[in-house]
Amino acid sequence: MSHTWDPDRYLAYADERGRPFVDLLARVPAEAPKVVVDLGCGPGNLTSLLADRWQGAEVVGIDSSPEMIAAARDIEGVSWEVADLRDWARPDPLALRAPVDVLVSNATLQWVPGHLELLPGLLDRVAPGGWLAFQVPGNFDEPSHTARTELAAREPYAAHTRDARVPTSHDPDVYARVLLDLGCEVDAWETTYLHVLTGPDPVFDWVSGTGARPTLQSLPDDLRPLFEEEFRALLREAYPADSSGRVVLPFRRIFVVARKPDGVRV
C-alpha cells in the first residue's frame, strides 16, 4: 500500500534524527571523493552536510518521495532526483553508470523489503576503494513499534492495515557478514540514543512522522481518530512522563561503514 511523506512533520525532530547521520559520517574517512550519493535523502537537510564536507564533489540526493524532493530543491550545492533505491541495486552489465565514491543511506533501507539481498548490487555501484555507509533503526521490538503492530492487528483496523508497509532491519553482525563475504573492510556497530521529548504525546508525534505513518494513512477517515486515540494511550503507558513532563525515548540504531576493495567489482 502506497503512502506519502510529510517533510514538515518529519523535520519536527530534525536534531534528534540528524545525530545518527553525523555519527555515521564521522566514520567515513574518504578524503576527496568525486561523486557522493545520498540514497533516501528525505528533505535534504542532512544531504547538505555531505556538500559541506566534500566541497569538490558532485553530491546527489535521491528519494522515492516527490514530496521530500520538492522540499529539498531549495538547498544549493546538491542535485536532486526522484528515484527508487532498488533501481540502484539492479545489475549494470555494460557498466554504463558512473561509479560512486561514497554511497550513503540514512534510515532508509528498513523500508525496503529484502534489503539485505540488495547490498551486493549497491556495492557494485561503488568505485573500487570507495565507501558504502548506512544507518537503520534497530528498535522494532520496542513499544513504539510493537504497540502499533498489535493495535493494527485488531478489528476494525486489521481489514485496512494488513497491507500497510512496516519497517524492519537486521542486527549489525548480519550486515557485517554479508559485506565481509563480498571482500569489504567493515566497521559495524550499534548505539542506543536516549531522546528526551516534551509536550503532549511526544512519542506519538515522533512515530507518526515515520514508522507509524503508513499504518495511519491506511485507515479510513472515520477510523483513524479512534486508532490514534488508542495508540496514544498505549504509548503514554509505555513511555510515562516524569514530574516535569519529560519523556525518555530509547532509540537503538545500527551503523555500517564498508570500504570496497581496490580493483574489485562485485
Side-chain angles (χ1 to χ4, degrees), residues 94-165:
L94 300 180
L96 297 176
R97 298 178 295 197
V100 177
D101 299 297
V102 179
L103 183 58
V104 177
S105 183
N106 183 63
T108 299
L109 288 175
Q110 75 274 8
W111 289 108
V112 183
H115 64 260
L116 200 65
E117 287 70 36
L118 297 181
L119 293 183
L122 292 177
L123 189 63
D124 195 47
R125 297 298 305 272
V126 176
W131 300 87
L132 170 64
F134 60 89
Q135 177 270 128
V136 290
N139 65 333
F140 300 119
D141 58 352
E142 293 293 324
S144 54
H145 289 275
T146 58
R148 180 206 68 233
T149 300
E150 293 168 4
L151 182 60
R154 303 174 191 169
E155 296 298 345
Y157 311 124
H160 306 281
T161 61
R162 62 171 55 98
D163 294 326
R165 293 175 66 185

Side-chain angles (χ1 to χ4, degrees), residues 1-2 152-165 214-224 227:
M1 179 178 293
S2 62
R154 303 174 191 169
E155 296 298 345
Y157 311 124
H160 306 281
T161 61
R162 62 171 55 98
D163 294 326
R165 293 175 66 185
T215 299
L216 295 173
Q217 288 193 331
S218 71
L219 292 163
D221 293 342
D222 59 332
L223 278 182
R224 190 177 304 114
F227 182 94

Side-chain angles (χ1 to χ4, degrees), residues 35 37 39 62 81 83-101 103 118 120-128 260 265-266:
V35 180
V37 173
L39 285 179
I62 296 173
E81 179 182 344
D84 194 316
L85 178 151
R86 289 168 291 192
D87 292 337
W88 274 67
R90 290 176 180 163
D92 181 20
L94 300 180
L96 297 176
R97 298 178 295 197
V100 177
D101 299 297
L103 183 58
L118 297 181
L122 292 177
L123 189 63
D124 195 47
R125 297 298 305 272
V126 176
K260 185 173 176 177
R265 187 176 178 84
V266 296

